[in-house]
Amino acid sequence: METLVRVAGRIRDSIEKVIEGKTDVVDSTLTVLLAEGHLLIEDVPGVGKTQLAKALARSIDCSVRRIQFTPDLLPSDVTGVSIFNQNSREFEFRPGGIFANIVVGDEINRASPKTQSALLECMEEHQVTVDNATYQLESPFMVIATQNPIEMEGTYALPEAQRDRFMARVSIGYPPVGSEIAMLASHSAANPLDDLDPVTDAAEIRKLIGVVNQVYVADAVRRYTVALTAATRANNELALGASPRASLHLLRAAKAHAALHGREFVLPDDVRRLTGPVLAHRLLPSASAAMHGRSVTDILETIVSAVPVPQT
């Protein structure tokens, strides 16, 4: 556990050389990494969505690939394709962009639903099936996707099945004034990404993921997690509640959150703090709630406050 906290601190410090004044967002990113999840970064242009993804990727000495999602991107560009070799007279598989430890999917909602669906199997099962052959993806495997919720022209909304595979969604937001002034001083002459060196590697991340898996969860915390997700399904203001996969993601994220704070057990507060990033993007408001100006965040806060917190 001490090693986990120390390595996570080095990764955090490395990322904050690029993304200043956003410790909460960086911690959420580390939580998703150690929980073996995938991260959706949704925010307006120019706040550092891609920079955050690149900074994490460069801080870990592992394979990294970036996929620029565009309307003409094909599923085979993501997963790979079989090509006929004239010399051997056989088909050979050429891996696509998804074959990496960390995959940065830039502007994921610019690609067609057909291409977006190529990620479904990869994100859920950590494998790719092409021409009846299955190829395993190396651990750790994390997809960090970005999208712009403001500029909707020429975009395709992510389907519910796709959004449900992202463990968490974060928004970076505008930096504090002091951090933005510091950014003008440090980023104007050179890109800080160019000087970023790895502070750990894939093998160590795999060990830390194993540590997170051993974090203790009491039965009361499990029941509390299910109570939260079940409450979203029974709420009249929501047309779509959280899935059982959301319950699993919420608990795994809570275990990583506890480990990052040096604890070998999960508290109900770990679960409660992560309900927003883990659940909000999976929920759909009802027509009545939308007409009354009730956002998903407002509804979720009401639900969380109504569910009794167990005393541990």
Side-chain angles (χ1 to χ4, degrees), residues 21-94:
K22 294 294 178 181
T23 302
D24 290 345
V25 176
V26 175
D27 284 345
S28 296
T29 304
L30 292 175
T31 298
V32 174
L33 171 66
L34 296 178
E36 292 188 284
H38 308 290
L39 183 66
L40 179 63
I41 308 174
E42 186 177 279
D43 215 324
V44 297
V47 294
K49 299 188 298 295
T50 306
Q51 291 285 86
L52 172 61
K54 285 184 174 180
L56 174 63
R58 294 200 181 189
S59 299
I60 303 173
D61 187 14
C62 60
S63 58
V64 180
R65 288 192 179 182
R66 175 181 175 180
I67 304 175
Q68 184 67 51
F69 283 81
T70 55
D72 60 344
L73 190 72
L74 298 175
S76 58
D77 296 326
V78 176
T79 59
V81 64
S82 295
I83 299 177
F84 186 73
N85 189 319
Q86 295 285 356
N87 296 326
S88 63
R89 311 297 294 176
E90 293 180 350
F91 282 94
E92 295 180 352
F93 178 68
R94 299 290 177 86

Side-chain angles (χ1 to χ4, degrees), residues 148-168:
N148 173 11
I150 304 300
E151 185 183 353
M152 301 306 294
E153 184 176 352
T155 63
Y156 303 87
L158 294 182
E160 284 71 26
Q162 182 80 61
R163 298 174 75 89
D164 198 44
R165 280 166 169 78
F166 284 102
M167 177 172 284

Side-chain angles (χ1 to χ4, degrees), residues 191-205:
N191 189 342
L193 280 172
D194 297 336
D195 299 326
L196 217 57
D197 295 321
V199 296
T200 185
D201 56 23
E204 190 162 31
I205 293 297

Side-chain angles (χ1 to χ4, degrees), residues 70 121 129 166 240 257:
T70 55
E121 180 188 13
T129 301
F166 284 102
L240 178 66
H257 184 269

Side-chain angles (χ1 to χ4, degrees), residues 75-235:
S76 58
D77 296 326
V78 176
T79 59
V81 64
S82 295
I83 299 177
F84 186 73
N85 189 319
Q86 295 285 356
N87 296 326
S88 63
R89 311 297 294 176
E90 293 180 350
F91 282 94
E92 295 180 352
F93 178 68
R94 299 290 177 86
I98 202 67
F99 283 84
N101 293 119
I102 295 181
V103 179
V104 181
D106 205 11
E107 297 283 358
I108 188 173
N109 56 338
R110 293 284 175 190
S112 67
K114 178 175 65 175
T115 302
Q116 291 179 14
S117 65
L119 291 171
L120 296 179
E121 180 188 13
C122 311
M123 295 174 66
E124 180 66 18
E125 302 175 45
H126 292 195
Q127 66 181 30
V128 175
T129 301
V130 178
D131 294 337
N132 296 323
T134 300
Y135 306 90
Q136 296 296 323
L137 297 172
E138 184 182 355
S139 177
F141 172 66
M142 181 181 184
V143 174
I144 307 176
T146 70
Q147 71 171 357
N148 173 11
I150 304 300
E151 185 183 353
M152 301 306 294
E153 184 176 352
T155 63
Y156 303 87
L158 294 182
E160 284 71 26
Q162 182 80 61
R163 298 174 75 89
D164 198 44
R165 280 166 169 78
F166 284 102
M167 177 172 284
R169 179 189 64 182
V170 297
S171 296
I172 297 178
Y174 295 111
V177 174
S179 297
E180 191 165 1
I181 293 173
M183 182 194 71
L184 295 181
S186 60
H187 293 205
S188 58
N191 189 342
L193 280 172
D194 297 336
D195 299 326
L196 217 57
D197 295 321
V199 296
T200 185
D201 56 23
E204 190 162 31
I205 293 297
R206 284 193 290 269
K207 293 179 182 177
L208 300 186
I209 290 173
V211 173
V212 170
N213 290 336
Q214 299 301 315
V215 172
Y216 174 74
V217 182
D219 288 339
V221 175
R222 292 193 184 94
R223 289 194 294 270
Y224 179 57
T225 303
V226 173
L228 287 170
T229 54
T232 65
R233 303 165 198 161
N235 192 282

